[in-house]
Amino acid sequence: MASPETDRKAGAGGSICRPPTAADRLADRVFRGLTCAFAWLTLLLIGYIVWRIGGTALPAMKRLGIGFLTGTTWDPNQQKYGILPEIWGTLYSSLLALSIGGFFGVAIAIFLSEDFLPDRIRVVLKATVELLAAIPSVVYGLWGIYILIPMIRPLANWLHVHLGWLPFFSTSLTGPGMFPAALVLSIMILPTVAAISQDALGAIPARTREAAFGLGATRWETILRVLLPTASRGIFSALVLGFGRALGETMALAMLIGNSNRLTLSLFSPADTLAALLALNFPEASNLEVGVLMYAAVILLTITLLVNIAGEMIISFSARPGGGRS
Amino acid sequence: MTSSTRNNQAALPASDAAPDEVVIDCRVEKIFYGNFLAVRDSHLPILKNRITGFIGPSGCGKSTVLKSINRMNDLVRNFRFYGHIHFEGQDLYDKKVDPVTVRRHIGMVFQQPNPFSMSIYENVAFGLRLNRYRGDYDARVEEALRRAALWDEVKDKLRNNGMSLSGGQQQRLCIARAIATRPPVLLMDEPCSALDPIATRQVEELMVELKKDYTLVIVTHNMQQAQRVADRTAFFSVDITRGGRTGYLVEMGETTELFANPGEELTREYLSGQFS
């Protein structure tokens, strides 16, 4: 039985304050160790993937060299490989998708975050936009082939007939091609851009809006001159992520772009992208061709990594004290 | 109502100077947020080139009335105003009046410093650009910053972000931004509540300096501040007798007179700290 003295020591004044127990400390260390391990595992995994792909691609890299990037023919029978049209097609389709999807995505973000709508309608609209991200890529592809292409063909051919002297409209749209692919791609990146831009706009403190309105800015002046510049870093990240997604998107593009090894500015001509090339060629690939496909995969990986790193760097270089998304 | 009789006395010409000109004649009948009656029956004549202080306990509607003057409350959903606010021969709540125009003529400084996340220069030039000012921007920006007693501290870093300044500097930047377009009236909603005592003193000195050219209305919960800067003081209180929490003006008068010799028992109790 505890003496009155130890009793007083243990619970002076009825205080129940205690140091953490040994079990608490152990749990803390285990938890920290686990999170640390998983974080490093991610890095290791990326390293491993790059290493293995690079390793498999090495024979093809040695054999084809840098000419692989500038060549324009792809002929497994003669063992001639070049992916310049695919690189071009990847960048062109993604840039087109980014300009269409980025514009509408940011517009949607403004509309949904700036108090234009009653809350109930806004919640429904927001969920609908996010639902676009839940549609499987292959469904987009089918929709593009059987519904979108027939729908836009009259417009495309009208443009070709009347504005055919512009390089963008220099061919007619007969089936799959760059424009339908880019359109579907822009719908696919729309939810990403909209959701992240919306977060960036929503993170602007209410007092910033108050300041603009207090100076006598109209709603549009507030949005264009204060809110968009303030959220510019967040919106830029949204665009970079959307672009990254567009670069790597495969299924819908493989179905819609036409898979034709052409280097063209025309929006209505079939073209090809790196991702589609990989998806369509791997079933019949034999020894060297596997290496060639891996080489192309390395290029695609490099492009996406470069885009993301460049985006991160631009964001952190433009970091402003107290500004941006915080 | 006692408040109105006292208002009338206070609005009489001051003993020595020229007759005081009423710049804003604010007659609140009722202000609602939804079904909630926030403020009732308050008549507040605001005199030119004077500092008018609004004091009173929390929830007495002093900020609500202040924000009604430049129609900031129109941004609050379900806000309804009954009454009249006359400014330059116009009723600000007339249907034809655009709230945006009102806010361009009646500037506002907020409780929390709220500079834009852009350069110090652009912060001050913002109002000039809104009003499509075609003149010497540099001169206007410098003048506004000088008047806000901030020029010497920022003249070498006008391109830095306004958010990089200290709290007190940010608030003075917001004052510079508000006065760059020289609005005749400046409203300040507890402008020092987020500042330390030194920054508070600087902003208070600035207010006294500014009243030469501007009419100022400040809300403060600090009675010493009201005594230090306000020429005239309006005391608001909360009426809980009718089941709600409705603010109303108890009395308004020259600050020295109000503090030395309050006309209402409620005012006397509040000023002496006996308010429950």
Side-chain angles (χ1 to χ4, degrees), chain A residues 127-146:
Chain A
T128 313
V129 173
E130 279 161 15
L131 216 60
L132 285 177
I135 298 177
S137 180
V138 65
V139 176
Y140 274 118
L142 279 179
W143 175 76
I145 290 176
Y146 292 114

PDB file of all heavy atoms in Angstrom, chain A residues 127-146:
ATOM      1  N   ALA A 127     -19.411  17.712 -58.607  1.00  0.00           N
ATOM      2  CA  ALA A 127     -19.346  16.252 -58.635  1.00  0.00           C
ATOM      3  C   ALA A 127     -19.389  15.752 -60.074  1.00  0.00           C
ATOM      4  O   ALA A 127     -18.702  14.791 -60.424  1.00  0.00           O
ATOM      5  CB  ALA A 127     -20.503  15.676 -57.827  1.00  0.00           C
ATOM      6  N   THR A 128     -20.182  16.405 -60.912  1.00  0.00           N
ATOM      7  CA  THR A 128     -20.287  15.984 -62.310  1.00  0.00           C
ATOM      8  C   THR A 128     -18.946  16.124 -63.018  1.00  0.00           C
ATOM      9  O   THR A 128     -18.517  15.234 -63.752  1.00  0.00           O
ATOM     10  CB  THR A 128     -21.345  16.823 -63.040  1.00  0.00           C
ATOM     11  OG1 THR A 128     -22.496  16.879 -62.222  1.00  0.00           O
ATOM     12  CG2 THR A 128     -21.683  16.227 -64.376  1.00  0.00           C
ATOM     13  N   VAL A 129     -18.283  17.258 -62.784  1.00  0.00           N
ATOM     14  CA  VAL A 129     -16.985  17.463 -63.425  1.00  0.00           C
ATOM     15  C   VAL A 129     -16.000  16.404 -62.956  1.00  0.00           C
ATOM     16  O   VAL A 129     -15.232  15.848 -63.745  1.00  0.00           O
ATOM     17  CB  VAL A 129     -16.453  18.882 -63.129  1.00  0.00           C
ATOM     18  CG1 VAL A 129     -15.037  19.031 -63.640  1.00  0.00           C
ATOM     19  CG2 VAL A 129     -17.352  19.925 -63.763  1.00  0.00           C
ATOM     20  N   GLU A 130     -16.043  16.112 -61.639  1.00  0.00           N
ATOM     21  CA  GLU A 130     -15.116  15.106 -61.130  1.00  0.00           C
ATOM     22  C   GLU A 130     -15.438  13.719 -61.675  1.00  0.00           C
ATOM     23  O   GLU A 130     -14.556  12.876 -61.835  1.00  0.00           O
ATOM     24  CB  GLU A 130     -15.137  15.107 -59.594  1.00  0.00           C
ATOM     25  CG  GLU A 130     -14.267  16.221 -59.042  1.00  0.00           C
ATOM     26  CD  GLU A 130     -14.573  16.576 -57.611  1.00  0.00           C
ATOM     27  OE1 GLU A 130     -15.261  15.789 -56.936  1.00  0.00           O
ATOM     28  OE2 GLU A 130     -14.128  17.647 -57.167  1.00  0.00           O
ATOM     29  N   LEU A 131     -16.707  13.503 -62.001  1.00  0.00           N
ATOM     30  CA  LEU A 131     -17.129  12.222 -62.559  1.00  0.00           C
ATOM     31  C   LEU A 131     -16.464  11.955 -63.906  1.00  0.00           C
ATOM     32  O   LEU A 131     -16.249  10.801 -64.286  1.00  0.00           O
ATOM     33  CB  LEU A 131     -18.646  12.240 -62.732  1.00  0.00           C
ATOM     34  CG  LEU A 131     -19.381  10.935 -62.466  1.00  0.00           C
ATOM     35  CD1 LEU A 131     -19.138  10.482 -61.038  1.00  0.00           C
ATOM     36  CD2 LEU A 131     -20.874  11.129 -62.700  1.00  0.00           C
ATOM     37  N   LEU A 132     -16.139  13.018 -64.627  1.00  0.00           N
ATOM     38  CA  LEU A 132     -15.470  12.848 -65.918  1.00  0.00           C
ATOM     39  C   LEU A 132     -14.189  12.042 -65.765  1.00  0.00           C
ATOM     40  O   LEU A 132     -13.785  11.312 -66.666  1.00  0.00           O
ATOM     41  CB  LEU A 132     -15.128  14.213 -66.520  1.00  0.00           C
ATOM     42  CG  LEU A 132     -16.258  15.029 -67.130  1.00  0.00           C
ATOM     43  CD1 LEU A 132     -15.726  16.363 -67.598  1.00  0.00           C
ATOM     44  CD2 LEU A 132     -16.882  14.284 -68.288  1.00  0.00           C
ATOM     45  N   ALA A 133     -13.558  12.198 -64.590  1.00  0.00           N
ATOM     46  CA  ALA A 133     -12.306  11.483 -64.357  1.00  0.00           C
ATOM     47  C   ALA A 133     -12.549   9.999 -64.119  1.00  0.00           C
ATOM     48  O   ALA A 133     -11.629   9.193 -64.201  1.00  0.00           O
ATOM     49  CB  ALA A 133     -11.574  12.087 -63.164  1.00  0.00           C
ATOM     50  N   ALA A 134     -13.798   9.652 -63.803  1.00  0.00           N
ATOM     51  CA  ALA A 134     -14.089   8.254 -63.474  1.00  0.00           C
ATOM     52  C   ALA A 134     -14.431   7.433 -64.707  1.00  0.00           C
ATOM     53  O   ALA A 134     -14.527   6.217 -64.633  1.00  0.00           O
ATOM     54  CB  ALA A 134     -15.237   8.191 -62.473  1.00  0.00           C
ATOM     55  N   ILE A 135     -14.625   8.087 -65.853  1.00  0.00           N
ATOM     56  CA  ILE A 135     -14.966   7.342 -67.065  1.00  0.00           C
ATOM     57  C   ILE A 135     -13.715   6.639 -67.593  1.00  0.00           C
ATOM     58  O   ILE A 135     -12.684   7.274 -67.786  1.00  0.00           O
ATOM     59  CB  ILE A 135     -15.532   8.289 -68.138  1.00  0.00           C
ATOM     60  CG1 ILE A 135     -16.819   8.938 -67.618  1.00  0.00           C
ATOM     61  CG2 ILE A 135     -15.791   7.547 -69.440  1.00  0.00           C
ATOM     62  CD1 ILE A 135     -17.414   9.948 -68.573  1.00  0.00           C
ATOM     63  N   PRO A 136     -13.803   5.346 -67.824  1.00  0.00           N
ATOM     64  CA  PRO A 136     -12.605   4.633 -68.288  1.00  0.00           C
ATOM     65  C   PRO A 136     -12.167   5.128 -69.658  1.00  0.00           C
ATOM     66  O   PRO A 136     -12.994   5.470 -70.517  1.00  0.00           O
ATOM     67  CB  PRO A 136     -13.072   3.179 -68.360  1.00  0.00           C
ATOM     68  CG  PRO A 136     -14.279   3.103 -67.504  1.00  0.00           C
ATOM     69  CD  PRO A 136     -14.922   4.440 -67.574  1.00  0.00           C
ATOM     70  N   SER A 137     -10.862   5.111 -69.814  1.00  0.00           N
ATOM     71  CA  SER A 137     -10.245   5.604 -71.027  1.00  0.00           C
ATOM     72  C   SER A 137     -10.809   4.928 -72.279  1.00  0.00           C
ATOM     73  O   SER A 137     -11.068   5.568 -73.295  1.00  0.00           O
ATOM     74  CB  SER A 137      -8.750   5.329 -70.870  1.00  0.00           C
ATOM     75  OG  SER A 137      -8.033   5.749 -71.944  1.00  0.00           O
ATOM     76  N   VAL A 138     -11.052   3.616 -72.166  1.00  0.00           N
ATOM     77  CA  VAL A 138     -11.508   2.882 -73.350  1.00  0.00           C
ATOM     78  C   VAL A 138     -12.932   3.302 -73.743  1.00  0.00           C
ATOM     79  O   VAL A 138     -13.291   3.318 -74.921  1.00  0.00           O
ATOM     80  CB  VAL A 138     -11.403   1.360 -73.098  1.00  0.00           C
ATOM     81  CG1 VAL A 138     -12.354   0.928 -71.999  1.00  0.00           C
ATOM     82  CG2 VAL A 138     -11.645   0.568 -74.359  1.00  0.00           C
ATOM     83  N   VAL A 139     -13.708   3.701 -72.748  1.00  0.00           N
ATOM     84  CA  VAL A 139     -15.061   4.194 -73.048  1.00  0.00           C
ATOM     85  C   VAL A 139     -14.972   5.520 -73.795  1.00  0.00           C
ATOM     86  O   VAL A 139     -15.701   5.761 -74.763  1.00  0.00           O
ATOM     87  CB  VAL A 139     -15.867   4.345 -71.745  1.00  0.00           C
ATOM     88  CG1 VAL A 139     -17.232   4.950 -72.034  1.00  0.00           C
ATOM     89  CG2 VAL A 139     -16.017   2.990 -71.059  1.00  0.00           C
ATOM     90  N   TYR A 140     -14.047   6.376 -73.362  1.00  0.00           N
ATOM     91  CA  TYR A 140     -13.807   7.612 -74.113  1.00  0.00           C
ATOM     92  C   TYR A 140     -13.440   7.304 -75.552  1.00  0.00           C
ATOM     93  O   TYR A 140     -13.895   7.960 -76.491  1.00  0.00           O
ATOM     94  CB  TYR A 140     -12.669   8.405 -73.471  1.00  0.00           C
ATOM     95  CG  TYR A 140     -13.102   9.323 -72.359  1.00  0.00           C
ATOM     96  CD1 TYR A 140     -12.624   9.142 -71.063  1.00  0.00           C
ATOM     97  CD2 TYR A 140     -13.956  10.386 -72.615  1.00  0.00           C
ATOM     98  CE1 TYR A 140     -13.003   9.993 -70.043  1.00  0.00           C
ATOM     99  CE2 TYR A 140     -14.336  11.238 -71.599  1.00  0.00           C
ATOM    100  CZ  TYR A 140     -13.858  11.036 -70.317  1.00  0.00           C
ATOM    101  OH  TYR A 140     -14.250  11.875 -69.328  1.00  0.00           O
ATOM    102  N   GLY A 141     -12.607   6.277 -75.713  1.00  0.00           N
ATOM    103  CA  GLY A 141     -12.170   5.903 -77.059  1.00  0.00           C
ATOM    104  C   GLY A 141     -13.335   5.493 -77.928  1.00  0.00           C
ATOM    105  O   GLY A 141     -13.491   5.960 -79.061  1.00  0.00           O
ATOM    106  N   LEU A 142     -14.193   4.624 -77.389  1.00  0.00           N
ATOM    107  CA  LEU A 142     -15.356   4.166 -78.152  1.00  0.00           C
ATOM    108  C   LEU A 142     -16.281   5.327 -78.488  1.00  0.00           C
ATOM    109  O   LEU A 142     -16.753   5.462 -79.617  1.00  0.00           O
ATOM    110  CB  LEU A 142     -16.125   3.119 -77.335  1.00  0.00           C
ATOM    111  CG  LEU A 142     -15.567   1.712 -77.386  1.00  0.00           C
ATOM    112  CD1 LEU A 142     -16.410   0.800 -76.525  1.00  0.00           C
ATOM    113  CD2 LEU A 142     -15.520   1.211 -78.824  1.00  0.00           C
ATOM    114  N   TRP A 143     -16.510   6.152 -77.485  1.00  0.00           N
ATOM    115  CA  TRP A 143     -17.381   7.310 -77.689  1.00  0.00           C
ATOM    116  C   TRP A 143     -16.810   8.206 -78.791  1.00  0.00           C
ATOM    117  O   TRP A 143     -17.516   8.685 -79.667  1.00  0.00           O
ATOM    118  CB  TRP A 143     -17.503   8.079 -76.367  1.00  0.00           C
ATOM    119  CG  TRP A 143     -18.268   9.347 -76.482  1.00  0.00           C
ATOM    120  CD1 TRP A 143     -19.614   9.470 -76.586  1.00  0.00           C
ATOM    121  CD2 TRP A 143     -17.739  10.680 -76.504  1.00  0.00           C
ATOM    122  NE1 TRP A 143     -19.958  10.789 -76.682  1.00  0.00           N
ATOM    123  CE2 TRP A 143     -18.820  11.558 -76.618  1.00  0.00           C
ATOM    124  CE3 TRP A 143     -16.440  11.209 -76.422  1.00  0.00           C
ATOM    125  CZ2 TRP A 143     -18.667  12.939 -76.663  1.00  0.00           C
ATOM    126  CZ3 TRP A 143     -16.278  12.573 -76.468  1.00  0.00           C
ATOM    127  CH2 TRP A 143     -17.381  13.420 -76.582  1.00  0.00           C
ATOM    128  N   GLY A 144     -15.488   8.356 -78.748  1.00  0.00           N
ATOM    129  CA  GLY A 144     -14.832   9.183 -79.767  1.00  0.00           C
ATOM    130  C   GLY A 144     -15.022   8.620 -81.155  1.00  0.00           C
ATOM    131  O   GLY A 144     -15.355   9.337 -82.094  1.00  0.00           O
ATOM    132  N   ILE A 145     -14.835   7.289 -81.289  1.00  0.00           N
ATOM    133  CA  ILE A 145     -14.911   6.679 -82.610  1.00  0.00           C
ATOM    134  C   ILE A 145     -16.320   6.724 -83.178  1.00  0.00           C
ATOM    135  O   ILE A 145     -16.547   7.148 -84.313  1.00  0.00           O
ATOM    136  CB  ILE A 145     -14.426   5.211 -82.553  1.00  0.00           C
ATOM    137  CG1 ILE A 145     -12.918   5.177 -82.319  1.00  0.00           C
ATOM    138  CG2 ILE A 145     -14.782   4.470 -83.836  1.00  0.00           C
ATOM    139  CD1 ILE A 145     -12.367   3.786 -82.157  1.00  0.00           C
ATOM    140  N   TYR A 146     -17.287   6.319 -82.351  1.00  0.00           N
ATOM    141  CA  TYR A 146     -18.634   6.131 -82.910  1.00  0.00           C
ATOM    142  C   TYR A 146     -19.522   7.366 -82.809  1.00  0.00           C
ATOM    143  O   TYR A 146     -20.524   7.452 -83.500  1.00  0.00           O
ATOM    144  CB  TYR A 146     -19.306   4.930 -82.241  1.00  0.00           C
ATOM    145  CG  TYR A 146     -18.622   3.652 -82.613  1.00  0.00           C
ATOM    146  CD1 TYR A 146     -17.941   2.897 -81.678  1.00  0.00           C
ATOM    147  CD2 TYR A 146     -18.635   3.214 -83.952  1.00  0.00           C
ATOM    148  CE1 TYR A 146     -17.284   1.743 -82.032  1.00  0.00           C
ATOM    149  CE2 TYR A 146     -17.977   2.058 -84.315  1.00  0.00           C
ATOM    150  CZ  TYR A 146     -17.307   1.319 -83.364  1.00  0.00           C
ATOM    151  OH  TYR A 146     -16.652   0.183 -83.724  1.00  0.00           O
TER     152      TYR A 146
END
